[in-house]
Amino acid sequence: MAVAPAGKTFVGLCLSNLVVGCALLAGVQWSSPGSVDHYLAGVTDDTGYHVSLGKSHASSRLDALGKMISERLDSLDQQLSPLRPDSDVSRLSHAPLLSSVAIPSALSHVLCQLMKAQRLSQGAFTPYLRPETAPLLPSWTLQTSGSAKMVLSSQAVPTNVDLHRQSVRHMSALPPAHALLYLGNHAIPLAPFRLNLVAAVNGLRADTLVHLLESQGISHFWLEIGGIIMVGNQSRTFTLGNGDRLTLQNQALLHGENVSGDHFWIVSMSGEAGALQQEVLSRLATSAGRKLALARGWQVRWANGSQ
């Protein structure tokens, strides 16, 4: 994946698990004014970030700003990183079933957004990921005539090994929709689960960087983190993969591909909102996605033409 500012190629930090973030920027190019020449780049737990600043920003402050960015993202990841065993989300995912777990504001906000995405997609998006290592037959499902049947006990499993294996091949191996009872300032795990945090967390990271830059009096910038591009108070013109040109100012840009195979670009006022919309639309057919986007007033550019 390459992005080209000011007629030169700017290659993003693509970590081994950054395939999604890299794909989101594929085919996006823009011209960057000559006044932009200060760049900051770094990594957080599972993604990279790039910040481009105006020439008027004092170069002597870049190191301090870079440290502030690192500390702010680290503070966010301390709550939301699934890679850190001591993070709040790891504590929640490893809590005993039926226990009440207090959760901080950032994690509570993300959980609320995940549930919202599930509702908007009418269940096509699930807030849960497949277990890293699923048992031969998950304790929460059995296969009955091709459909998943909920069971309440791990004892309710077949005894025939061949039946076990046949069931595993046809099941989704996802926790049930009620695996976590979210109650605002605390949550109760009802079944084993892992949260699908990628889009929601990257959206929060993008907004966090924007708020930090603005708090330092920096309004002319563009940045990229986890496949989300944010543009500050100086317009940028993008050339999309289908040849369309798009000028942004104080907006976010994300790219996605839906189940129909159609590509789309989302323009949003925040990275978090754009990430939520991308998660929902990527799981809907084009016709359903357009209908939902129109009903909710989302700005979506489809690769095959219409808004």
Side-chain angles (χ1 to χ4, degrees):
M1 179 277 297
V3 179
K8 57 187 177 182
T9 300
F10 183 73
V11 181
L13 295 175
C14 295
L15 306 180
S16 60
N17 55 349
L18 263 186
V19 176
V20 174
C22 296
L24 291 179
L25 294 178
V28 176
Q29 294 182 326
W30 62 91
S31 297
S32 179
S35 62
V36 177
D37 65 353
H38 291 315
Y39 291 91
L40 292 172
V43 294
T44 180
D45 275 11
D46 57 354
T47 191
Y49 65 85
H50 312 93
V51 181
S52 176
L53 306 173
K55 184 181 294 185
S56 60
H57 185 71
S59 58
S60 61
R61 294 183 57 201
L62 291 180
D63 288 344
L65 182 60
K67 183 178 180 181
M68 292 174 64
I69 289 174
S70 178
E71 290 175 348
R72 192 67 59 87
L73 292 176
D74 185 72
S75 176
L76 186 64
D77 288 337
Q78 187 59 47
Q79 292 191 48
L80 301 175
S81 171
L83 303 180
R84 301 188 184 191
D86 60 340
S87 71
D88 292 302
V89 72
S90 293
R91 180 171 54 86
L92 176 61
S93 63
H94 291 93
L97 300 187
L98 302 182
S99 64
S100 179
V101 183
I103 51 179
S105 58
L107 179 54
S108 177
H109 182 78
V110 166
L111 286 173
C112 184
Q113 293 296 75
L114 294 179
M115 304 306 176
K116 182 179 179 181
Q118 185 176 37
R119 290 194 302 270
L120 289 174
S121 69
Q122 296 182 334
F125 167 79
T126 173
Y128 307 111
L129 294 169
R130 298 176 188 275
E132 293 179 357
T133 55
L136 192 59
L137 187 66
S139 61
W140 56 79
T141 61
L142 284 176
Q143 287 297 119
T144 306
S145 302
S147 62
K149 175 183 178 182
M150 307 301 297
V151 297
L152 300 178
S153 170
S154 59
Q155 302 300 317
V157 296
T159 56
N160 184 283
V161 174
D162 291 335
L163 180 57
H164 282 204
R165 293 171 178 167
Q166 182 179 4
S167 298
V168 170
R169 284 197 298 269
H170 296 287
M171 68 174 57
S172 66
L174 285 172
H178 62 271
L180 183 69
L181 180 59
Y182 168 60
L183 299 171
N185 61 357
H186 68 284
I188 301 175
L190 302 177
F193 71 93
R194 288 195 305 128
L195 290 172
N196 185 357
L197 293 174
V198 175
V201 172
N202 280 335
L204 272 180
R205 287 169 174 159
D207 291 336
T208 295
L209 292 187
V210 170
H211 296 157
L212 175 59
L213 294 175
E214 291 178 342
S215 73
Q216 298 301 303
I218 303 171
S219 59
H220 292 180
F221 62 85
W222 62 260
L223 63 87
E224 180 276 327
I225 183 167
I228 301 173
I229 297 174
M230 305 285 289
V231 178
N233 192 28
Q234 186 173 12
S235 63
R236 299 284 185 273
T237 298
F238 297 76
T239 300
L240 305 179
N242 61 346
D244 288 347
R245 292 176 67 81
L246 183 64
T247 299
L248 302 179
Q249 186 171 353
N250 293 319
Q251 291 172 307
L253 177 66
L254 296 89
H255 170 264
E257 181 180 0
N258 68 355
V259 294
S260 300
D262 285 328
H263 294 262
F264 59 88
W265 289 266
I266 291 174
V267 179
S268 171
M269 297 304 293
S270 79
E272 184 184 23
L276 173 64
Q277 295 161 22
Q278 189 270 348
E279 279 281 14
V280 171
L281 294 182
S282 66
R283 287 162 173 78
L284 299 178
T286 302
S287 57
R290 283 182 175 159
K291 183 177 180 181
L292 178 62
L294 180 63
R296 302 194 67 84
W298 294 349
Q299 295 185 54
V300 182
R301 294 285 190 93
W302 296 90
N304 53 1
S306 61
Q307 189 78 331

